[in-house]
Amino acid sequence: MKLLVINAGSSSVKFQVFEMINDLVLVSGLIEKIGEETSEIKFELENSGKNNSVRVVEPIKNHKEALQKVAGILLDKENQIIEKKEEIKAVGHRVVHGGEKFKETAIINDEVKEMINELSSLAPLHNPPNLQGIVVATEVFPQAKQVAVFDTAFHQTMPAKAYRYAIPNKFYEEFGIRAYGMHGTSHRYVTKETAKFLKSDKLKLITIHLGNGCSMAAVRDGKCVDTTMGLTPLAGLVMGTRGGDIDPGVLIHLGKKYNLSVSEIDKILNKESGLKGLTGLNDMRDVLELKEKGDVKAKLALDVYTYRIKKYIGSYAAILGGLDAIVFTAGVGENSAYVREASCEGLEFLGISIDPSKNDKRAKGIRVISEDENRVKILVIPTNEELEIARQTFSIVQ
Ligand code: ADP
């Protein structure tokens, strides 16, 4: 069965087509700068045996035109993906916020669309373009089932004591103010890969997703019991441009003392903090390079970044009542031996100890980097959110 996976942003659409028999990617691409004169279409044909990358610059007015372009790429005889649209049996959509309504992947109907729209108040930057992607995909691929895979769904198994904030009840009851967590598709994917790799569903697990955004999850027997992000993706770990946990009093202080507006504080927290706030650079590779040159600010930024991860490892080991495995994933987690080492350093008393020679080795695929004799397996697992969306979509439409 062939499936299309769509991740629609405000001015971009990412897409991949999977042949689900063997999880094969037939094409993956990105349309950017939608609405501008210089929109960019990039895609790679992955089944052709040759390195087939295409890049075209041309104006694309809106998301509907973008999806029509995608359909054109899939139907192009030269690309050998599909001969007619009906071969795409389903379209799996990444949807950022499913609130408390969506605990699982859902087949999209009018009611689901309405709910995704209502949840826009919790994810104003993401849910509206995600919904737009759904609407236009339904028009362009009317014969395909449309499926929504929610970033928050994996975290819906958290108990109330983990997701409730200790603020007046009415804010939860009237406005749904609670922790929801993000990156759920990635945490779910690496959780399942870990279970397969360690041949057990009964694991106490900490998954650590370190990309531009960063989050951790505590997982018991495949189910999330806590996560670091909250109502929004600002909570928890230090990230590229977000600082994670902060005393909320700081925000009141900034507002009162420096007369900053809510939108100015929003900008500081979302765009100017994290690695960027501490070093001026948001890309981990650049920060690591600066640290190598002896830069004191870069060293401090990495200390704050990895100290926060370590603090959550300890706290999640406590709430899980023990630990079987830790998983590092996403851009930083998969690639930075330094960050992994510094985050786990000094945790031998918990059975956590990295083998430096395994940690330093570059490799593709799943690998173990813990010392053999140690209790807790430490794994590096490349995440694949698109494949997880495809698998979720496949299992619900079957
Ligand atoms: P996104 O969250 O946008 O999906 P990624 O998972 O690709 O992003 O992660 C991006 C982050 O990964 C960036 O901070 C980048 O610097 C970092 N990264 C990528 N490769 C390396 C590397 N070799 N060493 C350290 N960090 C890396």
Side-chain angles (χ1 to χ4, degrees):
M1 185 192 286
K2 289 191 177 102
L3 302 181
L4 172 62
V5 170
I6 295 282
N7 182 352
S10 56
S11 64
S12 69
V13 172
K14 276 193 203 157
F15 63 96
Q16 284 197 7
V17 174
F18 286 87
E19 172 50 83
M20 293 312 293
I21 296 169
N22 41 11
D23 289 346
L24 198 68
V25 179
L26 304 181
V27 61
S28 69
L30 169 66
I31 301 185
E32 282 181 297
K33 298 200 235 167
I34 296 171
E36 294 182 30
E37 282 302 303
T38 54
S39 314
E40 253 182 67
I41 308 165
K42 288 185 270 191
F43 64 93
E44 272 180 55
L45 298 164
E46 312 222 1
N47 67 332
S48 57
K50 40 190 179 175
N51 183 12
N52 221 338
S53 301
V54 179
R55 178 174 174 269
V56 185
V57 176
E58 63 176 58
I60 293 183
K61 277 207 292 289
N62 50 36
H63 283 67
K64 177 143 190 208
E65 237 181 80
L67 255 281
Q68 282 163 339
K69 281 280 163 205
V70 172
I73 293 166
L74 306 193
L75 288 164
D76 186 333
K77 283 208 167 48
E78 272 193 24
N79 296 339
Q80 296 176 33
I81 301 166
I82 52 171
E83 286 177 9
K84 42 189 190 337
K85 277 193 198 171
E86 289 69 25
E87 287 174 53
I88 299 290
K89 298 293 179 205
V91 183
H93 295 267
R94 176 184 187 221
V95 181
V96 164
H97 221 303
E100 288 186 333
K101 299 229 165 78
F102 295 103
K103 301 190 188 313
E104 301 288 345
T105 294
I107 299 214
I108 295 168
N109 54 26
D110 287 343
E111 197 189 344
V112 169
K113 278 191 261 191
E114 186 51 43
M115 286 195 236
I116 293 172
N117 187 32
E118 279 171 23
L119 289 162
S120 292
S121 62
L122 292 174
L125 298 181
H126 294 103
N127 271 29
N130 295 160
L131 184 57
Q132 208 174 359
I134 291 169
V135 170
V136 296
T138 312
E139 288 167 18
V140 177
F141 295 94
Q143 74 297 331
K145 287 210 166 78
Q146 307 288 329
V147 174
V149 180
F150 298 92
D151 249 13
T152 46
F154 181 62
H155 305 302
Q156 275 296 304
T157 45
M158 285 194 288
K161 64 185 172 189
Y163 69 69
R164 284 295 299 274
Y165 296 126
I167 56 174
N169 280 326
K170 67 170 184 184
F171 294 114
Y172 172 64
E173 286 156 5
E174 289 175 26
F175 307 116
I177 305 295
R178 49 158 282 184
Y180 291 96
M182 313 279 150
H183 294 143
T185 308
S186 175
H187 289 289
R188 189 196 295 276
Y189 176 80
V190 296
T191 293
K192 292 205 281 197
E193 291 296 296
T194 307
K196 268 193 262 169
F197 187 76
L198 297 178
K199 300 188 176 59
S200 170
D201 291 331
K202 300 263 170 247
L203 293 172
K204 291 170 178 164
L205 185 65
I206 298 175
T207 53
I208 308 178
H209 176 109
L210 305 175
N212 285 311
C214 302
S215 66
M216 289 170 61
V219 181
R220 183 182 291 119
D221 304 341
K223 294 198 163 52
C224 176
V225 293
D226 205 349
T227 191
T228 55
M229 283 181 168
L231 174 75
T232 73
L234 281 176
L237 301 181
V238 178
M239 319 182 202
T241 60
R242 289 171 250 158
D245 292 341
I246 186 170
D247 169 4
V250 171
L251 314 181
I252 300 167
H253 183 78
L254 286 177
K256 281 189 178 160
K257 179 125 176 118
Y258 299 99
N259 207 15
L260 296 185
S261 67
V262 171
S263 60
E264 283 167 322
I265 294 176
D266 182 336
K267 187 164 162 239
I268 293 168
L269 295 179
N270 272 299
K271 305 250 186 311
E272 296 169 0
S273 298
L275 295 176
K276 176 128 191 244
L278 292 173
T279 67
L281 301 167
N282 64 289
D283 191 296
M284 179 54 91
R285 282 166 292 202
D286 297 335
V287 177
L288 286 166
E289 210 180 298
L290 261 192
K291 191 248 334 161
E292 284 305 310
K293 291 182 185 151
D295 185 278
V296 179
K297 284 185 187 154
K299 175 68 170 71
L300 175 67
L302 287 162
D303 286 349
V304 177
Y305 186 102
T306 54
Y307 178 81
R308 189 78 55 80
I309 297 170
K310 186 185 299 186
K311 214 151 101 167
Y312 272 110
I313 292 176
S315 111
Y316 285 177
I319 63 166
L320 289 168
L323 196 56
D324 296 305
I326 294 177
V327 181
F328 285 94
T329 193
V332 178
E334 290 165 32
N335 293 299
S336 175
Y338 175 86
V339 167
R340 294 190 298 257
E341 168 65 34
S343 304
C344 293
E345 184 239 315
L347 296 179
E348 290 78 9
F349 74 101
L350 287 175
I352 297 167
S353 166
I354 285 187
D355 179 328
S357 62
K358 292 184 196 163
N359 190 31
D360 288 344
K361 218 177 271 166
R362 294 202 143 268
K364 286 202 164 147
I366 301 182
R367 59 208 175 94
V368 182
I369 57 165
S370 42
E371 287 182 333
D372 291 339
E373 64 273 19
N374 259 298
R375 210 159 25 81
V376 178
K377 290 267 175 294
I378 308 174
L379 308 175
V380 177
I381 303 186
T383 195
N384 194 336
E385 287 161 282
E386 290 77 15
L387 177 56
E388 183 57 31
I389 294 173
R391 285 177 177 166
Q392 294 274 323
T393 303
F394 184 58
S395 85
I396 199 168
V397 298
Q398 254 197 331

